[in-house]
DNA sequence: GCCAACGTTGGC
DNA sequence: GCCAACGTTGGC
């Protein structure tokens, strides 16, 4: 996310158009995304991008469709202006929202969007602080509303406005997330990296962790082994 | 502020 | 469909 970055707080009472059911308050969270100015015209899906995966719609890796049980969502806890809008939205900002719930808008990357579309209500995710003094996992959130249209793509005043997206065929989605708890301690990126490197060399639960293998993705999938291993770190001294 | 990694754009 | 140029992410 933007990772995040983003934050703008707008809370428009109304809008939300039908889509947003009751949960979100639009607060914005963004996450990493970028400013959206993309264009892309026609063909819409231009698939593939680089590396691995499928950038756009499909997300099969081969044929086996890996099931992801958990997620990691990045957001920026420190102020940073993007098109004049402050992207700050740390876990403390989420806690202050009504119902401690916010919509994760502003994601403008196909892989990240597709992962959000795969999210199921009730699944838990790590809230990751990026682009800040101390990057790392700060808390746990859960998905409380499955993917629906991200209204900010149509808002010219929004920093993630996407002029290429048509209302009849929206390009971008978002989910609603709710604060669950802080992790027992902050789990720094640097610490995770040490485990990743060790596991990559000798085998271990974090050997393929997206935070390192696809570091720029603002919404990342986690398999159960990754999620549980990281949770086990809460009780270590570090 | 630097810059590596990588996604996107768009000409050809 | 290739690929160079360009833009973004995000750690350091």
């Amino acid at each position: 996310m933007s990772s995040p970055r983003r934050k703008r707080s707008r809370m428009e009472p109304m809008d939300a158009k039908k889509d947003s059911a009751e949960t979100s308050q639009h607060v914005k969270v963004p996450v990493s995304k970028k400013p959206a100015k993309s264009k892309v015209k026609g063909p819409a899906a231009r698939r593939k991008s680089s590396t691995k995966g499928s950038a756009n719609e499909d997300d099969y890796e081969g044929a086996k469709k890996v099931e992801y049980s958990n997620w990691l969502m990045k957001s920026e806890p420190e102020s940073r202006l993007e098109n004049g809008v402050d992207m700050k939205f740390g876990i403390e900002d989420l806690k202050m929202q009504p119902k401690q719930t916010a919509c994760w808008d502003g994601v403008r990357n196909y892989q990240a969007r597709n992962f959000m579309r795969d999210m199921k209500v009730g699944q838990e995710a790590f809230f990751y602080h990026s682009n800040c003094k101390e990057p790392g996992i700060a808390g746990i959130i859960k998905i409380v509303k499955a993917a629906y249209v991200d209204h900010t793509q149509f808002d010219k005043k929004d920093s993630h406005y996407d002029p290429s997206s048509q209302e009849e065929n929206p390009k971008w989605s978002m989910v609603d997330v709710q604060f669950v708890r802080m992790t027992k301690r902050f789990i720094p990126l640097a610490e995770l990296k040490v485990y990743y490197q060790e596991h990559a060399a000798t085998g271990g639960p974090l050997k393929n962790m997206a935070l390192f293998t696809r570091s720029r993705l603002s919404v990342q999938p986690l398999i159960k082994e990754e999620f549980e291993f990281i949770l086990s770190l809460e009780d270590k001294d570090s």
Side-chain angles (χ1 to χ4, degrees):
Chain A
M1 84 150 311
S2 128
S3 260
R5 24 200 52 346
R6 72 221 27 322
K7 124 239 247 41
R8 359 126 130 247
S9 30
R10 61 167 43 355
M11 330 217 114
E12 340 178 347
M14 55 217 233
D15 104 353
K17 20 205 73 203
K18 57 176 46 338
D19 250 348
S20 34
E22 50 267 44
T23 21
S24 51
Q25 336 285 353
H26 314 107
V27 178
K28 247 50 308 359
V29 165
V31 170
S32 29
K33 41 200 59 301
K34 59 210 3 349
K37 0 213 55 246
S38 40
K39 31 259 316 11
V40 166
K41 41 212 37 312
R46 337 168 138 273
R47 52 210 41 224
K48 120 171 335 59
S49 11
S50 34
T51 9
K52 54 231 339 8
S54 28
N56 277 359
E57 323 288 313
D58 357 91
D59 194 18
Y60 8 79
E61 346 249 81
K64 66 214 210 154
K65 144 152 290 224
V66 181
E67 277 296 306
Y68 298 114
S69 56
N70 298 91
W71 312 92
L72 180 149
M73 302 173 83
K74 299 180 182 177
S75 192
E76 302 184 17
E78 296 173 6
S79 289
R80 185 178 66 78
L81 297 185
E82 189 174 291
N83 302 333
V85 181
D86 191 353
M87 293 297 115
K88 176 180 183 295
F89 193 81
I91 196 160
E92 297 298 337
D93 297 296
L94 175 61
K95 279 169 82 169
M96 297 192 300
Q97 299 306 317
K99 295 184 184 168
Q100 300 189 312
T101 296
C103 55
W104 206 266
D105 65 348
V107 171
R108 297 293 181 269
N109 169 280
Y110 289 114
Q111 285 195 86
R113 179 203 67 180
N114 292 346
F115 285 132
M116 287 199 295
R117 290 180 176 180
D118 287 341
M119 291 175 173
K120 309 270 197 306
V121 169
Q123 289 183 327
E124 292 187 322
F126 287 127
F127 192 113
Y128 178 89
H129 282 170
S130 67
N131 228 350
C132 56
K133 256 343 107 65
E134 252 230 295
I137 293 169
I140 296 172
I141 57 181
K142 69 179 175 189
I143 310 307
V144 293
K145 180 174 175 158
Y148 61 107
V149 176
D150 177 350
H151 56 89
T152 65
Q153 65 196 298
F154 305 122
D155 180 358
K156 292 188 170 61
K157 297 187 297 299
D158 192 279
S159 63
H160 299 102
Y161 170 61
D162 183 355
S164 74
S165 184
Q166 304 299 304
E167 304 236 12
E168 316 77 68
N169 186 21
K171 234 180 218 183
W172 307 111
S173 302
M174 64 185 180
V175 295
D176 287 353
V177 302
Q178 182 172 43
F179 175 79
V180 173
R181 65 175 176 85
M182 299 299 284
T183 42
K184 296 178 196 167
R185 66 180 178 88
F186 181 80
I187 303 176
L189 172 65
E191 179 180 343
L192 292 170
K193 184 183 281 183
V194 170
Y195 286 111
Y196 163 69
Q197 291 174 332
E198 176 186 321
H199 293 183
T202 66
L206 300 192
K207 64 178 185 296
N208 296 129
M209 192 181 180
L211 194 56
F212 305 101
T213 60
R214 300 148 95 177
S215 63
R216 305 196 330 173
L217 253 192
S218 64
V219 175
Q220 314 186 343
L222 292 176
I223 57 176
K224 187 187 299 294
E225 291 71 23
E226 293 168 332
F227 188 72
E228 290 180 351
F229 178 80
I230 294 167
L231 282 181
S232 77
L233 298 178
E234 286 188 298
D235 297 312
K236 294 185 100 146
D237 267 349
S238 108

